[in-house]
Amino acid sequence: MSVLIETSKGDITIDLHTDLCPIACKNFLKLCKVKYYNYCLFHNVQPGALIQTGDPTGTGKGGESVYRMLHGEQARYFEDEIHRSLRHARAGTVSMASSGPNTNGSQFFITVADEQDHLDDKYTIFGEVAEGMEVARAIAAAYADADGRPYQNIRIRHTIVLDDPFDDPPGLEVPDRSPEPSALVLQQDRERLAEDETLEEDEERPA
């Protein structure tokens, strides 16, 4: 049960705890399947701590669960799945990012350092990095503003579901191709350095 995340810095493979956290894992797998995460920014990077993504708005305030797509606004968020056997003890822990108890939507974070026990019992741990920790650490080290947003946009380009034990629920609309960049994505790339742009190129942009 795993997913390959292709980012503008390289690939990260995540193995999922489907037995312990089926609600979070199903949400993640189906959002990956419908290409929900394509073009999502890593909007919060903290060197020596974590990287966060999964919000299509890029603000850290957006995102919704797959259950919202299937069942309406009342299912926008889903409940926590906290287990004492799952701790933020090792770098590469993958957890839901939330604003409080039972407010899980689409955002998630990956730790890049060991022994982050201050995160335990607050965030649902649903996976771990199997390959690509060097990519996660490179993202965490990106030059960023005071809010942790990199000055050069770092994005999820594609997600590839490698193994999914869950049947697709009725009503899940799976696209037959990856989406084109939205107007918001293009705007974000005008506001900051695009993922394939250098500082020199930015200085040559017309005002």
Side-chain angles (χ1 to χ4, degrees):
M1 285 62 79
S2 55
V3 169
L4 173 65
I5 298 177
E6 298 178 359
T7 82
S8 49
K9 290 292 188 181
D11 296 348
I12 300 173
T13 302
I14 296 174
D15 287 345
L16 302 175
H17 303 310
T18 52
D19 291 340
L20 289 173
C21 302
I23 301 172
C25 289
K26 184 176 181 179
N27 176 71
F28 184 69
L29 285 162
K30 301 312 175 185
L31 288 178
C32 289
K33 198 166 188 177
V34 302
K35 306 302 182 185
Y36 184 87
Y37 290 123
N38 284 35
Y39 303 110
C40 279
L41 292 169
F42 285 87
H43 63 268
N44 178 21
V45 302
Q46 300 179 23
L50 58 83
I51 57 176
Q52 184 175 340
T53 184
D55 172 12
T57 73
T59 64
K61 300 177 181 179
E64 61 187 29
S65 74
V66 74
Y67 307 111
R68 159 65 175 79
M69 300 178 190
L70 298 170
H71 307 300
E73 184 61 30
Q74 74 280 3
R76 184 182 187 90
Y77 304 115
F78 61 90
E79 61 267 30
D80 296 328
E81 295 172 290
I82 306 293
H83 298 279
R84 292 187 62 81
S85 59
L86 297 176
R87 307 278 93 178
H88 295 86
R90 297 179 58 187
T93 300
V94 184
S95 301
M96 296 301 302
S98 61
S99 58
N102 304 312
T103 57
N104 303 291
S106 61
Q107 294 188 47
F108 63 96
F109 64 84
I110 301 172
T111 64
V112 295
D114 297 337
E115 303 301 337
Q116 299 204 59
D117 55 1
H118 63 286
L119 302 172
D120 291 343
D121 301 316
K122 298 176 183 177
Y123 302 100
T124 294
I125 298 172
F126 66 94
E128 59 186 18
V129 172
E131 297 180 28
M133 268 310 303
E134 72 284 357
V135 175
R137 289 194 171 102
I139 295 171
Y143 186 43
D145 63 21
D147 294 322
R149 179 174 170 185
Y151 286 108
Q152 181 175 42
N153 288 333
I154 304 172
R155 298 187 184 278
I156 294 176
R157 289 178 173 171
H158 301 286
T159 55
I160 300 171
V161 176
L162 303 177
D163 190 7
D164 181 0
F166 304 108
D167 292 335
D168 289 345
L172 187 74
E173 298 182 5
V174 179
D176 57 6
R177 66 185 68 183
S178 295
E180 295 296 321
S182 67
L184 175 59
V185 169
L186 298 177
Q187 177 184 336
Q188 290 168 341
D189 282 347
R190 289 192 296 269
E191 294 172 347
R192 303 234 170 176
L193 290 176
E195 61 180 63
D196 57 352
E197 189 175 19
T198 65
L199 181 60
E200 290 76 16
E201 290 171 331
D202 180 61
E203 291 172 343
E204 293 171 0
R205 280 190 199 173

